[in-house]
Amino acid sequence: MSSKRVQVPSRRAAALAAVAAVTLTMSACAPPGGGSSGGGEGDVVLGLLAPLTGGSAADGALMEQGARLAVDELNAAGGIEGRTVTLEVADVKDQSADAVASAVNSLTANPDVAAVLTGYASTTNFEIDLMAEAGMPYIIGGGSDQTAAIISEDPEAYPTVWSLTPSYAGYGTDFPSKVAAWNEDGSFPLRNETVYIISSDNPYSNGIASGLSETFESDGWNVVGPDTVPFGEVNDWTTQITKIKEADPSVIVNTDYQTANAASFLSQFVANPTDSLVFSQYAPSVPEFIDLAGSAANGVLYNLPISPLKTTPEGEAAIAAFDEAYGTDPGLYGIMLYESVRLWADAAEAAGDPGDREAVGAAIGDLDVVTSLGRVHFDPATHLTVAGDDGIPMIYFQIQDEQRVSIAPDEAAETSFTVPPWMQ
């Protein structure tokens, strides 16, 4: 396994129909021959798609910070092939098809843009097809189920598109076994086997909620829900909390990943709680979550199939660099975009010309490097990063004393699970 890195300090149908005109525009804007951009001198431009405004703006801010940190480090080390790297950011706003298509077009229309990166852009990842048609190297993060569904139909049609996020399959299967383990070892003896599941009406949340429902049911649990709320801002959780009081579950799962929504749910729940574990999908990983929820956040659980490994030298160095630059925790998307830039740089160096989109895209797929997230190498059938012992592990976290701490698996754990304070 290669660990070669650029040396830096410290280290689909409805949506595509809606943007058919944009697709044609981007095809016209692709560099001659579809393989090169940016010429052989001058700045190399990296494009970033991020939700800078709207309900996911906290994620977008982290994406931009992580990308800029890595770009600054690259330039401090001499750039790529002696060329300075600059960052051009396009706002995908509310992740609607029109907003994403417009942002994509603004980047692909620029012949100096050598690659595009994102934590996530649309909710369906339809823009993957637009990037492939433009011959644009594209490293995407979220929505790996959608990415795999698109690419697995014809992997060779997407030679420049790669996902830094591994399969989300574990999201729908892993947590029930963790609850069972805590019951067996006495960490959390179950009062009953009832789980209340809340979902937000979008593919990411619904897919995870459906998977967890199936897994819990197959394990003999009584599943209440999924109780689906609209995708977007949700301030009042009275209806859901009333239903939770009636169901009196041992476990509550909320797959609404928008930070403000998840924080308001937890704050309202803690004001009149049941004796239940609360598992919140993704949102607690965003630094803003604790600012919004305050002490109510203590005890909440979440997991991530991709996360900075605080117990490794690479993870420690990346987190320290982020803290030095911004004075804050990087969350998931800060680290993801930091590593995405570095992976692109590795591939550009291997290709010998950062403007050769085709060569750089192929080189991304050939990477096999140790990062702050774990070992990154790609599955050729789906273009997802490989998960598990040979790749990126699923990490469990709990907020304790208003700090995020890893609690499993053992090799990545900073401390152990504790019973939430609302149950004590």
Side-chain angles (χ1 to χ4, degrees):
M1 174 176 65
S2 170
S3 60
K4 184 176 185 295
R5 306 271 347 199
V6 174
Q7 297 302 307
V8 297
S10 71
R11 270 284 265 228
R12 170 189 263 233
L16 285 173
V19 296
V22 176
T23 305
L24 292 173
T25 301
M26 289 192 298
S27 298
C29 293
S36 298
S37 68
E41 56 187 36
D43 290 355
V44 180
V45 181
L46 278 182
L48 171 65
L49 295 174
L52 301 180
T53 56
S56 298
D59 286 347
L62 289 171
M63 293 180 203
E64 183 171 6
Q65 287 180 329
R68 289 198 184 280
L69 175 58
V71 166
D72 289 346
E73 289 184 350
L74 287 172
N75 289 331
I80 297 295
E81 298 295 315
R83 299 169 64 183
T84 298
V85 182
T86 62
L87 188 69
E88 181 175 334
V89 187
D91 187 6
V92 299
K93 302 177 182 177
D94 60 357
Q95 300 174 253
S96 67
D98 288 345
V100 174
S102 177
V104 168
N105 188 41
S106 72
L107 296 177
T108 57
N110 181 350
D112 291 328
V113 172
V116 176
L117 315 172
T118 189
Y120 57 82
S122 68
T123 60
T124 63
N125 295 357
F126 75 89
E127 77 279 1
I128 285 174
D129 284 297
L130 307 182
M131 294 296 184
E133 184 168 347
M136 181 68 75
Y138 187 43
I139 301 178
I140 187 171
S144 64
D145 286 349
Q146 291 89 338
T147 299
I150 295 169
I151 289 179
S152 62
E153 292 183 2
D154 185 5
E156 293 184 0
Y158 301 92
T160 62
V161 179
W162 303 92
S163 171
L164 182 52
T165 302
S167 171
Y168 282 166
Y171 268 154
T173 60
D174 205 71
F175 180 58
S177 64
K178 190 60 62 181
V179 173
W182 289 329
N183 178 51
E184 291 172 5
D185 68 15
S187 298
F188 180 68
L190 293 171
R191 296 183 296 109
N192 57 47
E193 291 190 337
T194 296
V195 57
Y196 191 95
I197 299 178
I198 300 169
S199 183
S200 173
D201 196 9
N202 64 85
Y204 172 89
S205 297
N206 286 335
I208 295 169
S210 176
L212 285 171
S213 295
E214 292 176 6
T215 304
F216 272 115
E217 286 178 352
S218 68
D219 288 348
W221 283 61
N222 172 40
V223 176
V224 183
D227 184 355
T228 304
V229 299
F231 178 57
E233 185 176 357
V234 181
N235 293 316
D236 186 356
W237 295 90
T238 302
T239 298
Q240 286 70 38
I241 292 172
T242 299
K243 292 178 182 178
I244 287 169
K245 297 290 284 188
E246 294 172 352
D248 191 27
S250 283
V251 177
I252 300 165
V253 174
N254 186 358
T255 68
D256 188 332
Y257 66 88
Q258 296 199 80
T259 309
N261 292 354
S264 64
F265 168 78
L266 191 62
S267 295
Q268 291 169 41
F269 168 79
V270 168
N272 188 18
T274 53
D275 285 339
S276 314
L277 288 184
V278 176
F279 178 92
S280 187
Q281 183 65 34
Y282 170 70
S285 70
V286 180
E288 183 186 33
F289 182 87
I290 295 177
D291 295 336
L292 294 172
S295 61
N298 289 328
V300 72
L301 300 161
Y302 66 100
N303 61 10
L304 294 172
I306 177 171
S307 175
L309 303 177
K310 298 180 180 180
T311 58
T312 67
E314 294 82 7
E316 289 177 357
I319 292 168
F322 205 97
D323 182 64
E324 182 178 354
Y326 303 112
T328 187
D329 187 288
L332 170 58
Y333 285 106
I335 288 291
M336 182 180 288
L337 268 296
Y338 175 80
E339 290 294 356
S340 292
V341 172
R342 288 163 60 90
L343 290 168
W344 166 80
D346 290 345
E349 185 181 67
D353 178 1
D356 188 337
R357 293 174 174 172
E358 182 177 350
V360 171
I364 293 171
D366 290 336
L367 291 173
D368 191 342
V369 296
V370 175
T371 75
S372 63
L373 300 164
R375 176 188 173 193
V376 172
H377 60 124
F378 299 95
D379 175 6
T382 63
H383 291 197
L384 302 182
T385 303
V386 174
D389 294 341
D390 292 332
I392 294 180
M394 175 76 80
I395 309 295
Y396 281 81
F397 299 85
Q398 186 174 41
I399 295 179
Q400 300 177 6
D401 297 324
E402 298 185 35
Q403 299 292 321
R404 296 167 186 81
V405 291
S406 53
I407 58 174
D410 290 344
E411 60 270 22
E414 300 169 273
T415 187
S416 58
F417 165 86
T418 61
V419 175
W422 61 81
M423 299 177 64
Q424 297 174 4

